[in-house]
Amino acid sequence: MLIDKHTNFAREKLSFNEIDEGFTTKEAIAEAKRCLNCPKPLCRGGCPIENEIPNFIQALAKGNVGEASAIIAQRSNLPAVCGRVCPHEKQCEGACILNKKNRGIQIGKLERFIADFDAEMGIERPKPVPSVQGKVAVIGSGPAGLTVAGDLAKLGFQVVIFESQAEAGGVLLYGIPEFRLSKEVVRREIKRIEDLGVEVKTGVVVGTDMTVDHLFADGFDAIFIGTGTALPRILDIPGKDLIGVIQATYLLRMVTLIRTEKIDRKETPINTRDKVVVVGAGNVAMDAARTALRLGASKVTVIYRRTEEEVTALPSEMEAAKVEGVEFQWLSNPTAILGAEQVTGLEYELQEIDENGKLRGTGVKKIIEADKIIPAIGQRPAARIVSTTEGIEVSDNGYVITRERPYGMTTRKGVFAGGDVVHQPATVVLAMKEAKKLAAGIAQYVEAKKLLENC
Ligand SMILES: Cc1cc2nc3c(=O)[nH]c(=O)nc-3n(C[C@H](O)[C@H](O)[C@H](O)COP(=O)(O)OP(=O)(O)OC[C@H]3O[C@@H](n4cnc5c(N)ncnc54)[C@H](O)[C@@H]3O)c2cc1C
Ligand code: SF4
């Protein structure tokens, strides 16, 4: 057995199977019973979509999982996903009053338990609402698109999702690795949205296969763009085009495609015994580093130009990466990727904090050996739709500009946008929060449009 010398963690234990098994029924009810049902619940304020947290916990404490699930469904179309990947420690759980006493309620795990129990037992089934309000096209099936689609269907709209990939789900399916979020869970939640009457058309690239104008010509009253941030930010240093430089999002997508047998295992971008260096320290970097370990890399090092206190990854993600054997190097700014054709290493300059607390280079350069370099320094939107549609303005960085009334409408009448394509790479729940407001904005717009048409 290969034991990591730093952590005593057995590498063979690493697999792509979902790590956290969640609560048993007994554990979930015992945890729910700890909740104080506070008159002014801080947890609810900490939830971006204002889930009725105390109410669903109380229902669960009484053993009424169906009622708990129905309460969650009032605010969320993706409870099993949120229960797994939301940054609860920074949101509802972080705000729970019981943190002051002992330990906060594990709200995420309770939400996950309720959603999983409901799905396994088939307790609560959404009923389609007759589609009479109008017709809306949703481009992109990530959390933003799925939420807009689900909310509009519940309001009585006919909704069609157009997704460029072979399968719906966006980052939930092609980004977040299986060991954190099972693909079956994503598929299950999408199926529930389809059960609301939403139609999903995959393998359609809007901007190439059809345009926004075609969609209007097909009779859609409004169009929502939730296309996320598909393009990786490039680590713009010498050697960036060498063989062996693999963008983190590309790696994660390839691994999903290999594991779902859409492409051959031989295409795996990382070989057993590769020395891998990941640049960046957000959640994407942690996912890439932990994935590289699972693919058999002999050593994985995360390099970050700032300090450990400034990482953007969730503390729990970084902790998991450390336990699994990922090494970290702080205050190290990459300056060149080394190699003739193939990567052989990374040169970096040590950084220090000056007397004003600012980061500065020390002039001391070092080299770390590497077979693969994985930049994970952010993403930005592609321009495929805005470049083929007149009248949609974007910011200097390519993010779509939207307005407050009707909420989320772009500079083109009837075209709305939300999620990462507007707000920069953020979180699943923030994309959902926006999408909920957007669904209301779209409904308001279509209602006004129909009234004017009838006049
Ligand atoms: C690796 C990774 C890990 C992450 N981990 C977490 C986490 O643990 N917790 C968390 O809360 N957040 C996490 N995030 C962030 C979160 O996933 C995103 O903020 C969220 O998915 C954004 O949702 P979205 O719907 O705006 O975009 P996406 O999820 O990016 O969905 C956009 C969809 O649009 C489709 N599309 C794009 N262009 C077109 C087109 N022209 N025509 C048709 N379809 C198109 C894409 O194929 C995609 O399916 C992570 C992100 C990444 C990349
Ligand atoms: S703050 Fe904590 S204890 Fe109070 S209602 Fe919310 S989960 Fe329960």
Side-chain angles (χ1 to χ4, degrees):
M1 190 179 279
L2 186 66
I3 304 283
D4 189 277
K5 65 181 189 298
H6 299 281
T7 62
N8 286 333
F9 188 86
R11 286 276 179 84
E12 277 79 357
K13 276 192 188 165
L14 290 179
S15 94
F16 280 96
N17 295 339
E18 206 171 49
I19 295 173
D20 187 348
E21 287 177 356
F23 279 142
T24 61
T25 309
K26 201 171 154 198
E27 287 166 347
I29 293 180
E31 182 69 0
K33 283 189 170 157
R34 287 182 55 235
C35 171
L36 305 176
N37 195 13
C38 306
K40 286 191 184 151
L42 298 176
C43 56
R44 191 171 181 274
C47 173
I49 55 169
E50 294 175 356
N51 246 327
E52 295 292 351
I53 295 169
N55 292 357
F56 79 65
I57 296 182
Q58 291 314 304
L60 175 61
K62 288 184 210 132
N64 197 342
V65 189
E67 187 189 334
S69 182
I71 295 169
I72 295 175
Q74 288 164 9
R75 303 289 310 157
S76 173
N77 294 308
L78 300 166
V81 168
C82 280
R84 285 165 166 85
V85 303
C86 271
H88 300 105
E89 61 247 60
K90 286 189 183 168
Q91 297 174 354
C92 54
E93 285 179 16
C96 173
I97 191 94
L98 285 175
N99 283 310
K100 291 195 181 127
K101 250 182 128 185
N102 170 11
R103 98 185 136 76
I105 301 288
Q106 295 181 68
I107 301 164
K109 279 184 90 166
L110 291 181
E111 185 182 22
R112 169 186 170 161
F113 170 80
I114 294 163
D116 289 356
F117 192 92
D118 179 312
E120 279 155 27
M121 300 294 167
I123 297 175
E124 194 260 347
R125 283 284 155 265
K127 291 174 195 59
V129 175
S131 308
V132 291
Q133 303 290 357
K135 207 173 150 192
V136 179
V138 168
I139 311 173
S141 64
L146 290 171
T147 302
V148 165
D151 278 15
L152 285 175
K154 286 180 194 163
L155 289 172
F157 284 84
Q158 183 189 345
V159 185
V160 184
I161 297 181
F162 296 89
E163 167 56 50
S164 58
Q165 298 293 328
E167 233 191 306
V171 170
L172 306 179
L173 200 85
Y174 290 105
I176 302 176
E178 181 111 38
F179 55 86
R180 288 210 293 125
L181 175 63
S182 145
K183 307 296 170 200
E184 281 316 308
V185 167
V186 179
R187 290 186 184 114
R188 193 178 78 200
E189 303 239 290
I190 293 172
K191 169 79 176 53
R192 283 171 70 111
I193 292 170
E194 287 180 288
D195 288 346
L196 290 168
V198 172
E199 187 186 348
V200 182
K201 292 190 177 179
T202 53
V204 184
V205 186
V206 179
T208 305
D209 301 330
M210 60 162 69
T211 62
V212 162
D213 293 306
H214 288 136
L215 291 170
F216 278 129
D218 277 351
F220 285 100
D221 296 298
I223 294 165
F224 170 71
I225 304 174
T227 45
T229 47
L231 301 179
R233 282 194 187 285
I234 302 299
L235 181 62
D236 199 8
I237 56 177
K240 65 179 190 297
D241 298 321
L242 286 174
I243 298 168
V245 178
I246 306 160
Q247 298 300 332
T249 45
Y250 174 79
L251 168 73
L252 294 168
R253 187 164 170 276
M254 289 295 277
V255 171
T256 298
L257 290 172
I258 289 165
R259 290 189 51 76
T260 49
E261 295 178 359
K262 300 263 174 8
I263 58 172
D264 197 277
R265 186 158 281 277
K266 287 202 290 273
E267 304 284 323
T268 308
I270 290 185
N271 303 318
T272 327
R273 289 188 289 281
D274 271 351
K275 292 191 195 74
V276 174
V277 171
V278 179
V279 180
N283 281 329
V284 180
M286 298 308 133
D287 282 344
R290 297 174 70 193
T291 297
L293 277 182
R294 282 165 174 77
L295 293 172
S298 62
K299 183 173 176 204
V300 179
T301 310
V302 166
I303 279 204
Y304 186 48
R305 67 193 179 97
R306 298 181 179 278
T307 60
E308 182 165 0
E309 290 66 42
E310 293 166 279
V311 298
T312 52
L314 279 177
S316 55
E317 284 310 311
M318 203 171 81
E319 203 42 48
K322 280 184 182 171
V323 168
E324 290 175 1
V326 174
E327 295 176 27
F328 288 83
Q329 223 166 287
W330 311 114
L331 290 169
S332 305
N333 189 27
T335 45
I337 297 172
L338 309 175
E341 271 184 35
Q342 172 81 39
V343 168
T344 55
L346 179 78
E347 179 198 74
Y348 59 93
E349 182 187 6
L350 292 179
Q351 306 289 293
E352 63 183 8
I353 310 289
D354 71 13
E355 46 292 343
N356 300 316
K358 289 229 165 76
L359 203 64
R360 71 174 174 209
T362 59
V364 178
K365 297 228 173 137
K366 301 225 163 193
I367 288 172
I368 179 167
E369 258 184 70
D371 305 297
K372 300 283 154 58
I373 305 282
I374 305 184
I377 56 170
Q379 295 102 246
R380 62 193 172 86
R384 201 175 276 128
I385 296 178
V386 294
S387 63
T388 54
T389 312
E390 279 204 8
I392 302 180
E393 282 176 27
V394 295
S395 70
D396 291 345
N397 299 329
Y399 291 93
V400 178
I401 295 169
T402 59
R403 57 197 222 188
E404 283 296 310
R405 285 174 78 85
Y407 191 83
M409 191 153 93
T410 65
T411 43
R412 168 88 185 258
K413 202 169 124 196
V415 180
F416 293 72
D420 284 3
V421 73
V422 171
H423 299 283
Q424 312 210 358
T427 59
V428 170
V429 75
L430 288 176
M432 287 169 64
K433 176 186 174 186
E434 274 302 300
K436 293 193 85 59
K437 286 166 78 179
L438 267 145
I442 294 171
Q444 191 189 20
Y445 167 80
V446 175
E447 191 189 351
K449 177 177 176 270
K450 298 254 172 212
L451 276 173
L452 288 174
E453 277 167 7
N454 290 339
C455 286

